[in-house]
Amino acid sequence: MSDTFSPISVKDALRSSAPIARILVQGWVRTRRDAKDFSFIELNDGSCLRNLQIIAKNLLANYAEVQRLTTGASIIVEGELVASQGKGQSWEVVAEKIDIVGLADDSYPLQKKGHTPEFLREIAHLRPRSNLFGCVFRVRSRLAFAIHKFFQERGFVYVHTPIITGSDCEGAGELFRVTAIDAKNPPRTKNGEIDYTKDFFARQTYLTVSGQLEVEAFALSLSKVYTFGPTFRAENSNTSRHANEFWMIEPEMAFCDLNGNMDLAEEIVKYLIVDLRENCPEELGLFAKFVDKELLARLDFVVERAFQRVSYIEAIELLKKSGERFEFPVEYGLNLQSEHERWLTERHFKCPVTVFNYPKEIKPFYMRLNDDNKTVTAMDLLVPGIGEIVGGSQREERLEVLETNMRRHKMDPADYKWYLDLRRYGTVPHSGFGLGFERMLMFLTGVSNIRDVIPFARTPGSAEF
Ligand code: 4AD
Ligand code: MG
């Protein structure tokens, strides 16, 4: 490898501060067009939105082959980085050598004309080569980094909670079973039911719906913790905001009540917007141009304004008084539907809203019971355009109350001995929430379908790739 020198990314080439006599760049041809004695190639390597223009002169040994290059082909270019004559670009490369690495023929599906999101979903393996999806997935990467940065700067410890688990944290029964049992010949109990004690883990196991229960154990040892990983829900909701595999950010804090929890949710949402505004200007610019014209104004507005906070009862009253005709009923004791959430944040408050203190009947077993005996310390943060982006609560730290809650939810406290131990030994008030990573990404990009912010989405009836 003595004769080779390191390639540089298109991004680094474009932000060079001076010409470079010898440069190596590599990537995929976006477009190529011929002039009299040379050919212009627009090269993209995914390091940034912009292309690097390559000038291929007819003096190149393989010029005839270069002239046959089409969109999608991969090449390695050696040449000189010089100031560009053309408009809108600072640098271009005059090629001394072009290695054709991989050809692409006319069947390459990403041609210059715009494609619909539906079509691009069918070619999820190629769509990151488009401008829009290149931007989406670079932003996704930065967002994950910014999330860790936020927590690490604040002294939170990152905990890797298990992906395979025996508990249904949300109690909604939306679990994907994990089993090694032979489906054709399962072991049976005396009653003829499948005997899961003979399964791989000697019990029933599932893909996790949330890392919360496990991360609570770490909050009650390390004080401020978070988990950030994939979660799975076997819910059959074919909407633009639900996926069956999505990532969730779940902080959990000891000695923290609902107000501290709401403060943290507000702080992180604002922090992430500011981080992306600073670090992904090109990408956000593209979204603002092609996806959602209001995007930047909305993001800046959200950073500047304090979020509204209303109790569930207040929210129900506002919705009832709204005079709006909703598809789903508005009644104390019923869940807020997406249309209600969106009315609150988009039409009424016109800013993010945290709704807190929901009726205990519609929330999971672990939420702390309020003194009214009717509501629990739940909180949902709703944002314009999306609705619920965060769900969380103060946790029930009183052993007896928690056991009663469990029985009310038809759960057997004996199955959760380890979780109850956290209340037996040095229990403290504690709180946390789950921020949907993809929902946050939708909010930050203006992309309106969750399928378009996930590299390879898993939704009902669809797990290709
Ligand atoms: O409100 P959820 O169900 O809360 C929990 O799972 C708690 N255990 C979190 C906690 O307190 N540690 O989910 C949290 C967030 C939602 O607000 C939403 O943003 C996202 O996760 N979410 C989904 N995102 C995409 N597809 C789905 N099917 C989602 N379900 C929830
Ligand atoms: Mg929720």
Side-chain angles (χ1 to χ4, degrees), residues 301-302 306-308 345 349-354 381-384 443:
F301 175 77
V302 167
F307 295 1
Q308 294 288 315
T345 123
F349 290 110
K350 300 194 166 63
C351 76
V353 189
T354 311
L381 171 57
L382 319 175
V383 296
F443 183 59

Side-chain angles (χ1 to χ4, degrees), residues 151-163:
F151 287 115
Q152 298 287 333
E153 284 169 1
R154 284 159 183 74
F156 283 68
V157 176
Y158 180 28
V159 179
H160 298 101
T161 47
I163 295 194

Side-chain angles (χ1 to χ4, degrees), residues 49 82 110 126 148 421:
L49 171 61
V82 299
L110 281 173
L126 295 173
H148 285 296
D421 275 354

Side-chain angles (χ1 to χ4, degrees), residues 148-267:
H148 285 296
K149 195 160 162 283
F150 174 86
F151 287 115
Q152 298 287 333
E153 284 169 1
R154 284 159 183 74
F156 283 68
V157 176
Y158 180 28
V159 179
H160 298 101
T161 47
I163 295 194
I164 299 174
T165 162
S167 44
D168 177 7
C169 174
E170 294 307 292
E174 294 164 339
L175 301 162
F176 286 108
R177 186 184 290 286
V178 174
T179 178
I181 281 178
D182 177 0
K184 287 206 202 85
N185 185 24
R188 302 262 179 205
T189 62
K190 283 196 196 92
N191 309 336
E193 277 159 18
I194 294 180
D195 185 358
Y196 287 104
T197 64
K198 303 241 165 58
D199 201 350
F200 193 90
F201 296 106
R203 56 171 301 153
Q204 305 203 47
T205 47
Y206 314 93
L207 294 178
T208 187
V209 296
S210 158
Q212 181 196 321
L213 302 187
E214 290 92 352
V215 91
E216 278 186 56
F218 275 73
L220 296 183
S221 341
L222 308 182
S223 294
K224 290 202 290 186
V225 298
Y226 69 108
T227 180
F228 177 22
T231 50
F232 307 86
R233 298 200 182 174
E235 59 188 327
N236 197 1
S237 13
N238 235 318
T239 80
S240 59
R241 357 172 273 154
H242 287 88
N244 298 110
E245 176 177 325
F246 62 97
W247 282 57
M248 197 164 25
I249 300 105
E250 296 182 272
E252 192 72 33
M253 296 165 286
F255 305 99
C256 177
D257 64 11
L258 189 68
N259 283 319
N261 208 23
M262 293 197 278
D263 290 346
L264 189 79
E266 180 166 342
E267 194 184 347

Side-chain angles (χ1 to χ4, degrees), residues 363 380 388 391:
K363 288 291 180 186
D380 278 1
E388 180 192 339

